Amino acid sequence: MQQKNSSAANVYTNWTGTSFLTSIIGGAIGDAYWGRLWTSIFCQLVYIVGLIMFSLIGTIITAENNLPQMLHVVLLYVALYTMGLGNASLTPNAVSLGADQFDLSNQSSTFISMSIASSAMGLMFSTSIISYIENEGQWRLGFWLSAGFGVMGLLLFLAGMPKMRQHKAGENPLFCIGRVLYACICSQKSDRLSSPKEFNKRGTNFRWLDKASTLKQHHMCTLQQVQAVKGICFLLPFWVCGIIVASVLAQKSTLFMLQGDTMENLLWGNIRFPPGSMSLFSLIMVVMCTPAYTILIEPYARRYNRGNSSIVRMGSGLIIAIILFCIAAIIEARRLKISHIGEESLTDGTKVSMSIFWLVPQYVLDGLITALWGCGHLEFNYIYAPQGMRSLATALSLSDLALGNYLSSLLLGAVTTFTSWIPDDLNHGHLDYFYWLLAGLLVIDLILFVVASKWVVSTSKQLWFEGHPGHDVQEVDLLA
């Protein structure tokens, strides 16, 4: 499209963020109107339409020798955002629908972990085979292969449709939350609750929401609606922590690749390993570690943590993230030292005499974080959300990626404006300082996470963490 790298990167970041934000709308539709099954089918159809539009536009543009016209640009953006809307809205519904097929929470957790592993396998194929085809100049073939796999995915999904279980659609969760908050604000002057004994049975958490169920009929809410909103409130602390995690890990697609582009990437003979393919090490770790954790570690975590193993899983991922950026800072400092030794002989395009495979630990740990934090966050939101809000809760964890991308852009912009750490030529900057800054932000996030974990476990024990180790988490259909 004849755009600069910086402009193209902003287009991609904005598209990613906006797409994941729309997942909240898709999750609400699946919970309240069409059900997760039919919403998943519709979203796949929208996604396929976007893929076909994108392939057609890509075929037209690559077939012409002149510059892209304004109409091409408009149609390309329409295709991109159609794809983003369909894919982002599909994910929370499809994951929740798959987890709904199981009766026990540990089985649902296993499915959620395996869904992330299968997504990583798809990304491995796309970042290796399809990317290789496109890098060889066969853009149109790569586009239409992607569209073909989208159609194949829908056919496989429809093949299992007759035996799928789906929950009955209920009240719109967004309307429910809005109604409870509005009623709570309007009822603050009232001290009389509709059923004080029932509220006492539920504990003393978020008692300010209890006034939403007063005797004022024109904006009264039911006990079930108030309890459902309380359930969503318990998910918010980890949602905030996830935004910070997503913002720092977004550097993998930008700064890690810029690092690799300055390093020697000779693999064998004249074969070079492209920096963009380094993410394969991350994806391999996701595919390997996700089932390994589920089979070998999770049973013991559930037994000894009495229902909050997903919190332990998220915390482990956050600790690994801190270690990742400490290692990244040390490796970058070594790269800078080598570049300064030979600085006089370095010219534009000259690689630093340091192998790109020094970055493998960074990518490996990134994959481990996805297997721990990513899976743990999705698992926690699904299991401990009200039954009628599970697609919305799953979308909430995905919105971290959107807000994290936006926060990452703001963070990079601020550092670029006020420091000289990240210049155009990384050999004359101090990217290691920026990595230490990110490690410090993650330490602060870890402290917030520990505080939030203690609060969530202690205040929600009466409602959710009942029973003995190994028992299924008690589920209450709050919106039925």
Side-chain angles (χ1 to χ4, degrees), residues 25-47 85-86 89-98 100-101 154 157-169 391:
I25 300 175
I29 293 174
D31 284 335
Y33 299 109
W34 299 344
R36 292 161 192 159
L37 174 61
W38 292 107
T39 305
S40 297
I41 294 174
F42 175 78
C43 291
Q44 287 188 74
L45 288 172
V46 172
Y47 185 42
L85 175 64
S89 299
L90 166 66
T91 303
N93 286 286
V95 171
S96 299
L97 175 65
D100 287 343
Q101 309 307 307
L154 176 59
F157 187 86
L158 293 176
M161 179 180 171
K163 296 185 178 181
M164 288 185 186
R165 174 202 303 177
Q166 67 167 326
H167 85 292
K168 183 179 179 181
S391 292

Side-chain angles (χ1 to χ4, degrees), residues 16-133:
T16 302
T18 305
S19 298
F20 279 114
L21 280 181
T22 60
S23 64
I24 296 179
I25 300 175
I29 293 174
D31 284 335
Y33 299 109
W34 299 344
R36 292 161 192 159
L37 174 61
W38 292 107
T39 305
S40 297
I41 294 174
F42 175 78
C43 291
Q44 287 188 74
L45 288 172
V46 172
Y47 185 42
I48 290 172
V49 169
L51 283 169
I52 294 175
M53 290 175 60
F54 185 83
S55 301
L56 286 172
I57 299 302
T59 300
I60 293 173
I61 293 174
T62 55
E64 297 179 357
N65 295 324
N66 49 359
L67 295 177
Q69 302 175 7
M70 181 58 64
L71 178 61
H72 296 159
V73 176
V74 173
L75 292 177
L76 180 65
Y77 275 87
V78 171
L80 279 173
Y81 279 90
T82 301
M83 290 166 53
L85 175 64
N87 185 44
S89 299
L90 166 66
T91 303
N93 286 286
V95 171
S96 299
L97 175 65
D100 287 343
Q101 309 307 307
F102 304 94
D103 296 319
L104 300 179
S105 63
N106 62 331
Q107 296 173 335
S108 299
S109 300
T110 300
F111 172 81
I112 292 172
S113 297
M114 293 300 102
S115 68
I116 292 181
S118 65
S119 297
M121 292 176 66
L123 285 171
M124 287 176 61
F125 181 83
S126 65
T127 55
S128 57
I129 305 300
I130 293 183
S131 291
Y132 176 80
I133 291 173

Side-chain angles (χ1 to χ4, degrees), residues 235-247 318 373 377 400 442 444-450 452-453:
L235 307 179
L236 295 181
F238 296 134
W239 174 71
V240 174
C241 293
I243 294 174
I244 301 177
V245 174
S247 66
L318 191 49
W373 176 273
H377 196 193
D400 279 345
L442 286 171
I444 297 174
D445 195 31
L446 178 62
I447 296 173
L448 296 176
F449 177 84
V450 171
S453 300

Side-chain angles (χ1 to χ4, degrees), residues 369-389:
I369 294 166
T370 301
L372 293 173
W373 176 273
C375 293
H377 196 193
L378 270 176
E379 172 188 307
F380 181 86
N381 279 20
Y382 174 84
I383 294 177
Y384 301 120
Q387 170 65 26
M389 292 186 174

Side-chain angles (χ1 to χ4, degrees), residues 11 14 36 57 86 97 135 168 175 177 181 204 209-210 229 245 295 305 322 381 383 390 397 441 448 480:
V11 169
N14 294 334
R36 292 161 192 159
I57 299 302
L97 175 65
N135 286 334
K168 183 179 179 181
F175 290 167
I177 294 172
L181 294 178
T204 59
L209 287 173
D210 293 348
V229 175
V245 174
I295 296 172
N305 288 286
I322 297 173
N381 279 20
I383 294 177
R390 281 180 165 171
S397 63
L441 290 176
L448 296 176

Side-chain angles (χ1 to χ4, degrees), residues 133-192:
I133 291 173
E134 293 177 347
N135 286 334
E136 291 297 314
Q138 300 295 324
W139 288 92
R140 283 168 281 182
L141 177 60
F143 294 155
W144 287 108
L145 276 176
S146 300
F149 281 117
V151 174
M152 186 185 302
L154 176 59
L155 295 177
L156 289 173
F157 187 86
L158 293 176
M161 179 180 171
K163 296 185 178 181
M164 288 185 186
R165 174 202 303 177
Q166 67 167 326
H167 85 292
K168 183 179 179 181
E171 182 181 3
N172 188 319
L174 296 178
F175 290 167
C176 175
I177 294 172
R179 183 175 182 178
V180 170
L181 294 178
Y182 173 76
C184 179
I185 294 173
C186 294
S187 305
Q188 285 302 308
K189 295 182 180 180
S190 175
D191 295 328
R192 187 177 180 184

Side-chain angles (χ1 to χ4, degrees), residues 171-469:
E171 182 181 3
N172 188 319
L174 296 178
F175 290 167
C176 175
I177 294 172
R179 183 175 182 178
V180 170
L181 294 178
Y182 173 76
C184 179
I185 294 173
C186 294
S187 305
Q188 285 302 308
K189 295 182 180 180
S190 175
D191 295 328
R192 187 177 180 184
L193 299 177
S194 59
S195 182
K197 293 183 179 179
E198 287 296 322
F199 283 107
N200 289 335
K201 291 179 182 179
R202 297 292 183 175
T204 59
N205 307 317
F206 300 107
R207 290 306 300 264
W208 60 276
L209 287 173
D210 293 348
K211 287 191 175 184
S213 182
T214 63
L215 294 179
K216 294 181 180 180
Q217 297 296 325
H218 63 285
H219 54 67
M220 186 182 70
C221 296
T222 64
L223 172 65
Q224 288 76 19
Q225 290 174 325
V226 174
Q227 289 301 118
V229 175
K230 284 186 177 182
I232 292 295
C233 288
F234 278 109
L235 307 179
L236 295 181
F238 296 134
W239 174 71
V240 174
C241 293
I243 294 174
I244 301 177
V245 174
S247 66
V248 297
L249 294 184
Q251 314 310 322
K252 175 187 68 175
S253 59
T254 54
L255 297 181
F256 286 7
M257 290 183 62
L258 289 176
Q259 267 186 289
D261 198 42
T262 66
M263 303 169 75
E264 183 58 55
N265 61 345
L266 196 62
L267 182 62
W268 185 271
N270 293 324
I271 302 176
R272 295 188 177 275
F273 195 88
S277 296
M278 290 293 291
S279 59
L280 285 173
F281 293 101
S282 176
L283 296 171
I284 290 172
M285 283 298 294
V286 176
V287 174
M288 293 175 56
C289 292
T290 300
Y293 181 92
T294 302
I295 296 172
L296 301 177
I297 299 178
E298 188 166 5
Y300 297 97
R302 286 182 169 274
R303 181 180 304 172
Y304 294 108
N305 288 286
R306 298 180 61 87
N308 56 357
S309 60
S310 55
I311 297 179
V312 176
R313 189 172 187 174
M314 286 188 286
S316 302
L318 191 49
I319 294 173
I320 296 296
I322 297 173
I323 297 174
L324 183 157
F325 281 99
C326 290
I327 292 177
I330 294 173
I331 292 176
E332 173 62 12
R334 175 179 173 82
R335 191 196 67 82
L336 284 174
K337 182 178 180 180
I338 294 176
S339 68
H340 291 162
I341 292 176
E343 187 174 9
E344 294 181 357
S345 61
L346 283 178
T347 59
D348 292 340
T350 303
K351 304 291 185 180
V352 176
S353 58
M354 181 178 180
S355 174
I356 192 175
F357 295 105
W358 276 90
L359 302 181
V360 169
Q362 298 173 207
Y363 284 93
V364 168
L365 292 179
D366 177 84
L368 187 57
I369 294 166
T370 301
L372 293 173
W373 176 273
C375 293
H377 196 193
L378 270 176
E379 172 188 307
F380 181 86
N381 279 20
Y382 174 84
I383 294 177
Y384 301 120
Q387 170 65 26
M389 292 186 174
R390 281 180 165 171
S391 292
L392 176 65
T394 305
L396 197 65
S397 63
L398 296 175
S399 68
D400 279 345
L401 300 175
L403 298 177
N405 273 280
Y406 293 143
L407 181 59
S408 172
S409 297
L410 291 174
L411 188 61
L412 277 173
V415 169
T416 304
T417 301
F418 297 106
T419 71
S420 57
W421 295 350
I422 312 177
D424 292 336
D425 186 353
L426 293 183
N427 294 328
H428 297 91
H430 268 291
L431 186 58
D432 54 332
Y433 292 173
F434 183 66
Y435 285 158
W436 286 119
L437 173 63
L438 296 180
L441 290 176
L442 286 171
V443 170
I444 297 174
D445 195 31
L446 178 62
I447 296 173
L448 296 176
F449 177 84
V450 171
V451 174
S453 300
K454 291 183 177 180
W455 174 76
V456 167
V457 172
S458 62
T459 57
S460 62
K461 186 175 296 184
Q462 181 180 356
L463 180 60
W464 287 319
F465 298 113
E466 297 180 353
H468 300 285

